[in-house]
């Protein structure tokens, strides 16, 4: 199959590279000339494990190429995927569909033969109808079918998720689109990934419902963690105790500093806006958004409490800045609100992150970035684990205790056990653990 991928961001690049690895001919398009030039040079614009090798392999095989010229990529394609951004619209939180609409218009002007247009971007219910309308208006004679194929990959594990998905959801209104998408995803039959065909609007809603549900699960356990701290229970045991129940499942039950990233915050907000427009309140999702928003800064206050309530003139070493490990993505990362809360109270911040520093420099001010966790902790008054990168999972805690000015570890991901930290000479505060005297103060 010949595939054009419009938008070469996280989703477009990973999807394009994986489709080419399936054996399809893929051209990835982006308006960002610097991004395309870098890709042509073999440089990845994002950090994603395994992506550089996958791209290099398929470029060398002649199945994957990059261009800024949308028309040449679309001409002759069997399927054109739209994978442009759908950020929160400034001011009202609706999904900003302007990139999708522009892409639809540009595709319509470039079609040279029959093609299936597939929206992979996360878009509100009814966007497929609008894409179809825009294209029909721009190219009344063109032969095309519009489908929805939301993407569920996780940054940091994107390639594996794409190649071994739990399911592929395809929303269609006609058999032609079904046939083309079946052929595109046929290689996944080997992995027995269910291909779930639905109507187009249903597929669009599945994506939002999935993200809202996962955000709810995280937020639920975070609130339970708060209760654990007060009643003297351990949230990790609670998670295990409920997660072993197959009806609940163990995933997304790790208490932490709140969800961030490029998807959950904007998608929950966009879902609420759709619900508001349709006058169907989604009160659970409303609460989730509010609770998560306030949690990030509250984690800054948690650090301040652990440090005795006054951080003015003190130095805090932050380990992990990205919203989760194995990505350089800083969008809506809890670290931003935590650092801001600490700076507002007069703390000096040092930070260490394996891949996120370049992105972090755009989001954070007055932060000293260090490549080594021990250099960050040297002379610090507290060490705070915000993102659980592997590099921070096997720290020499005794060494940390010796080089710090005040040996306090605030572990917002519960990477270490209170006992191992305390045995190493560190004062330990985790999330959802029976409260430590320092914190209760
Ligand atoms: N990042 C994720 O983990 C993830 C997961 C699932 C779904 N999604 C969804 O996928 C979509 C894309 O997300 P992303 O993170 O890849 O975004 P991104 O911002 O990383 O990439 C979007 C790219 O599209 C390009 N672009 C915009 N308009 C264009 C046009 N008309 N022609 C060519 N290129 C154009 C931009 O220059 C940019 O490089 C969003 O709707 C997002 O919600 C993202």
């Amino acid at each position: 199959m010949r595939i054009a991928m419009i938008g070469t961001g996280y989703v477009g690049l990973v999807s394009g590279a994986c489709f080419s690895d399936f054996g399809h001919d893929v051209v990835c398009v982006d308006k960002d000339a610097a991004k395309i030039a870098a890709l042509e040079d073999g440089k990845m614009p994002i950090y994603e494990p395994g992506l550089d090798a996958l791209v290099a392999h398929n470029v060398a095989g002649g199945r994957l190429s990059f261009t800024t010229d949308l028309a040449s990529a679309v001409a002759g394609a069997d399927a054109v995927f739209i994978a442009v951004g759908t950020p929160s619209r400034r001011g009202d939180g609706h999904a900003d569909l302007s990139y999708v609409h522009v892409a639809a218009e540009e595709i319509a002007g470039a079609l040279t033969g029959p093609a299936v247009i597939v929206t992979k971007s996360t878009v509100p219910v009814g966007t497929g109808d609008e894409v179809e309308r825009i294209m029909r208006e721009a190219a009344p004679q063109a032969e095309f079918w519009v489908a929805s194929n939301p993407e569920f990959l996780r940054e940091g594990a994107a390639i594996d998720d794409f190649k071994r998905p739990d399911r592929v959801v395809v929303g269609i209104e006609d058999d032609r689109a079904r046939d083309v998408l079946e052929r595109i995803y046929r290689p996944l039959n080997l992995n027995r990934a269910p291909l779930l065909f639905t109507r187009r609007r249903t597929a669009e809603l599945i994506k939002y419902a999935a993200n809202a549900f996962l955000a709810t699960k995280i937020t639920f356990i975070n609130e339970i963690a708060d209760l654990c701290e007060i009643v003297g229970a351990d949230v990790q045991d609670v998670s295990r105790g409920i997660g072993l129940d197959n009806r609940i499942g163990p995933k997304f039950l790790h208490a932490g500093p709140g969800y961030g990233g490029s998807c959950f915050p904007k998608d929950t907000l966009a879902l609420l806006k759709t619900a508001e427009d349709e006058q169907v309140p989604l009160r659970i999702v409303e609460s989730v958004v509010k609770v998560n928003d306030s949690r990030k800064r509250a984690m800054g206050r948690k650090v301040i409490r652990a440090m005795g309530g006054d951080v003015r003139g003190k130095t805090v070493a932050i380990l992990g800045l990205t919203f989760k490990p194995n990505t350089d993505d800083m969008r809506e990362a809890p670290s931003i609100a935590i650092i801001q809360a600490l700076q507002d109270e007069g703390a000096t911040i040092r930070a260490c992150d394996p891949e996120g520093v370049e992105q972090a420099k755009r989001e954070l001010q007055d932060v000293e970035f260090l490549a080594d966790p021990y250099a960050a902790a040297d002379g610090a008054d507290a060490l705070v684990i915000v993102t659980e990168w592997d590099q921070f999972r096997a720290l020499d805690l005794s060494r940390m205790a010796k080089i710090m000015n005040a040996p306090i570890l605030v572990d917002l991901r519960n990477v270490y056990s209170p006992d191992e930290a305390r045995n190493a000479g560190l004062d330990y505060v985790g999330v959802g653990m029976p409260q430590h005297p320092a914190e209760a103060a």
Side-chain angles (χ1 to χ4, degrees), residues 9-11 30-31 35 84 86 106 122 151 155 262 266:
Y10 258 105
V11 166
D30 208 287
K31 277 195 187 306
K35 194 179 266 190
V84 300
T86 49
E106 290 174 347
T122 302
E151 184 49 59
E155 290 178 15
S262 67
K266 84 171 170 63

Side-chain angles (χ1 to χ4, degrees), residues 123-145:
V123 293
V125 175
T127 303
D129 303 354
E130 185 61 7
V131 165
E132 190 168 327
R133 191 195 62 73
I134 291 171
M135 291 188 60
R136 185 60 63 214
E137 203 172 287
Q141 308 304 329
E143 218 183 340
F144 64 86
W145 302 267

Side-chain angles (χ1 to χ4, degrees), residues 224-388:
I224 294 291
D226 290 345
L227 185 59
C228 283
E229 289 178 7
I230 301 303
V231 301
D234 182 331
V235 76
Q236 285 178 294
D237 289 339
V238 174
S239 291
R240 199 165 147 70
I242 64 175
L244 284 168
D245 184 328
N246 283 331
R247 294 168 301 176
I248 297 173
K251 294 190 176 161
F252 283 76
L253 284 181
H254 301 288
Y259 62 76
S262 67
C263 291
F264 288 177
K266 84 171 170 63
D267 293 347
T268 44
L269 217 55
L271 178 62
L272 288 181
K273 291 298 165 182
T274 300
E276 209 175 284
D277 283 353
E278 302 298 334
Q279 298 184 349
V280 180
L282 297 181
R283 294 192 192 91
I284 293 174
V285 185
E286 276 170 25
S287 302
V288 165
V289 169
K290 275 198 202 122
V291 170
N292 191 68
D293 275 352
S294 54
R295 183 170 188 82
K296 297 179 188 174
R297 198 169 162 89
M299 291 297 110
R301 292 196 296 274
K302 183 181 177 74
V303 176
I304 293 169
R305 276 200 308 279
M307 294 174 69
D310 183 10
V311 294
R312 189 157 302 281
K314 292 186 180 168
T315 299
V316 181
I318 304 279
L319 300 188
L321 295 168
T322 51
F323 84 94
K324 65 173 177 180
N326 294 326
T327 178
D328 58 353
D329 204 331
M330 281 294 294
R331 289 179 274 188
E332 308 276 343
S335 64
I336 300 170
I338 294 168
I339 289 173
Q340 190 63 63
L342 291 165
Q343 288 177 327
D344 288 348
E345 293 300 314
T348 300
I349 306 294
R350 289 195 207 137
C352 173
D353 189 282
E355 297 291 339
V357 170
E358 282 317 303
Q359 301 288 336
K361 282 180 180 163
R362 297 183 201 161
E363 306 279 349
L364 303 167
Q365 262 129 43
D366 300 324
V367 171
E368 186 186 357
F369 296 99
L370 291 146
D372 174 55
Y374 299 97
D378 196 4
D381 297 287
L383 183 65
V384 184
I385 298 178
V386 179
T387 315
E388 69 281 30

